Amino acid sequence: MTGTLAEKVWRDHIVKRGTNGEPDLLYIDLQLCHEVTSPQAFEGLRIAGRKVRRPDLTIATEDHNTPTYNIDQPIADLTSRTQIDTLRKNAEDFGIRLHSLGDADQGVVHVVGPQLGLTQPGMTIVCGDSHTSTHGAFGALAFGIGTSEVEHVLATQTLPLQPFKTMAINIHGELKPGTTAKDIILAIIAKIGTGGGQGYVLEYRGEAIRKLSMDARMTICNMSIEAGARAGMIAPDETTFEYLKGKPHAPEGDDWDAAIEYWASLKSDDDAVFDAEVDLDASTLEPYVTWGTNPGQGVPLSGEVPDPADIADDTKRTAAERSIEYMGLTPGTKMRDVHVDTVFIGSCTNGRIEDLRNVANVVKGRKKADGVRVLIVPGSARVRLQAESEGLDKIFEEFGAEWRNAGCSMCLGMNPDQLAPGERSASTSNRNFEGRQGKGGRTHLVSPLVAAATAVRGTLASPHDLEPVA
């Protein structure tokens, strides 16, 4: 039957098709858990006297509340310690596999799943976390769910859902040097807005997408939710298969061959009809940065803070006025003139080994700008170990950066890594909401390359702005 990638995966997981407007019941292949959204779900099971239906299809890790230093010591913050301890007890009581602090496979849940090979094409994947869309980079239908839905999946391994609409995001042409996957997704969100994808599963297609690595594809799918989308997907191909080959949970032998045959079929048919399409020319893109307090308020690095008076839409104009006031900016200021106090490199958006290698290539042989704090947090313990085996940690430390243990860190400030009120950051994370990185903190979303160059210069910058290393 003809269909888009999302429609094919959906059809393959229907347990019971809804009638008379009722939702379909879908089978869920994998549920990911962390300490923030799972406690109420497990407590609901206890109250009802239920067990986890398929504990082998659930995996948990500690990430949001975890400190990124002194991880061998008790967690100082009482709330964070309680959430972590609660997850540990729930995992023990219900037989859930858990990767705790100090475990080689601990880390941000959306980094851990792919690196273990648990994330595979054609799967349905859920987590009580909006950035579950990350896993769509493998051709999986992956999305965040609420606490009651987490409990439903734990109890039944199914989820009732209304079908989504589909949107094709066609990225034509090739990226210019210095422009990255992060710039693609920031440009898309700036184009369609933070509500442009509402109700849709986005499929990213085109030459520029096919040439991206898996790490880069995950960056794009990760931020689908910032466009209001339910999920983001990229059709699996040889790049996907090569990434998964040999991973701990990847199929082997005859099972691998059978999996490849199925995975290769997971693409939108030529005559498939999308509910909406968006086109973007990759060759016209340059590094993007945000100026406001939502990911859609972004401009090219060569641009400037907009003047709200030039915005015709009343709602958008009012939002821009509020954002500029909160961010402490002045309309017309060139983005390259914006000074930062902190550079944060990490998160489930840009905390993978490729991101760290790109940063190291920029900062090697340089020193950070005076007065600028640079925090580099690997997305998982495995990423940290890999970086250290390549000597990246030494490059970062010689540069003057703080090299930390894995966790969500300053992405959301539910841990000690936070901005002080009024401090400004250049961050490789995914959200720049008011107070996201600490009460009163101001966040500019950037790519790892822009973050690294900003750390050198002290103002928003790209590697092209830097003098050659002597």
Side-chain angles (χ1 to χ4, degrees), residues 181-462:
K182 185 64 164 286
D183 305 309
I184 290 177
I185 190 61
L186 286 175
I188 290 170
I189 299 169
K191 181 182 178 74
I192 70 174
T194 54
Q198 189 169 355
Y200 291 93
V201 173
L202 311 183
E203 183 183 341
Y204 303 98
R205 299 148 33 104
E207 181 182 2
I209 298 297
R210 289 192 296 272
K211 290 189 174 182
L212 294 176
S213 67
M214 287 310 301
D215 281 6
R217 294 179 187 187
M218 283 187 267
T219 294
I220 288 180
C221 287
N222 173 271
M223 290 190 66
S224 299
I225 189 68
E226 313 310 339
R230 197 70 166 94
M233 302 179 76
I234 295 173
D237 57 15
E238 288 299 326
T239 300
T240 320
F241 309 154
E242 186 61 31
Y243 177 96
L244 285 169
K245 192 172 185 179
K247 288 284 190 292
H249 289 271
E252 297 178 339
D254 291 342
D255 289 339
W256 173 260
D257 295 336
I260 290 291
E261 183 178 0
Y262 170 59
W263 294 346
S265 72
L266 295 173
K267 56 186 177 182
S268 293
D269 296 315
D270 292 339
D271 56 350
V273 178
F274 290 87
D275 295 297
E277 295 205 36
V278 174
D279 293 278
L280 202 64
D281 184 350
S283 67
T284 66
L285 299 181
E286 60 178 279
Y288 256 69
V289 299
T290 59
W291 52 266
T293 56
N294 73 59
Q297 293 176 323
V299 293
L301 180 60
S302 62
E304 57 188 38
V305 179
D307 186 344
D310 296 333
I311 301 175
D313 182 271
D314 290 342
T315 301
K316 292 181 179 178
R317 182 172 61 255
T318 301
E321 290 171 346
R322 175 181 172 85
S323 293
I324 290 171
E325 180 181 5
Y326 178 84
M327 292 295 289
L329 297 171
T330 302
T333 301
K334 294 185 181 304
M335 298 308 299
R336 279 187 165 92
D337 291 339
V338 176
H339 178 272
V340 304
D341 305 290
T342 297
V343 172
F344 169 65
I345 296 163
S347 84
C348 60
T349 314
N350 283 124
R352 298 177 178 81
I353 190 64
E354 180 177 278
D355 302 311
L356 301 187
R357 289 169 180 157
N358 288 337
V359 170
N361 287 337
V362 174
V363 305
K364 186 175 183 179
R366 304 180 192 272
K367 294 293 183 182
K368 72 178 182 67
D370 290 341
V372 175
R373 180 188 186 195
V374 182
L375 197 61
I376 302 180
V377 183
S380 72
R382 289 283 179 197
V383 171
R384 178 184 166 92
L385 291 170
Q386 180 65 36
E388 291 178 348
S389 74
E390 297 177 15
L392 303 187
D393 58 320
K394 297 295 187 286
I395 293 173
F396 299 146
E397 288 167 353
E398 289 171 5
F399 175 65
E402 299 177 35
W403 175 238
R404 295 298 190 86
N405 288 288
C408 291
S409 185
M410 195 179 280
C411 174
L412 78 167
M414 289 180 67
N415 47 70
D417 301 341
Q418 297 182 24
L419 295 176
E423 281 190 328
R424 184 183 306 278
S425 77
S427 177
T428 67
S429 52
N430 43 47
R431 286 183 175 162
N432 54 335
F433 304 154
E434 293 184 16
R436 169 79 174 178
Q437 296 189 298
K439 185 176 180 180
R442 297 160 171 167
T443 302
H444 297 274
L445 300 180
V446 299
S447 72
L449 291 180
V450 170
T454 300
V456 174
R457 220 176 63 153
T459 59
L460 295 173
S462 79

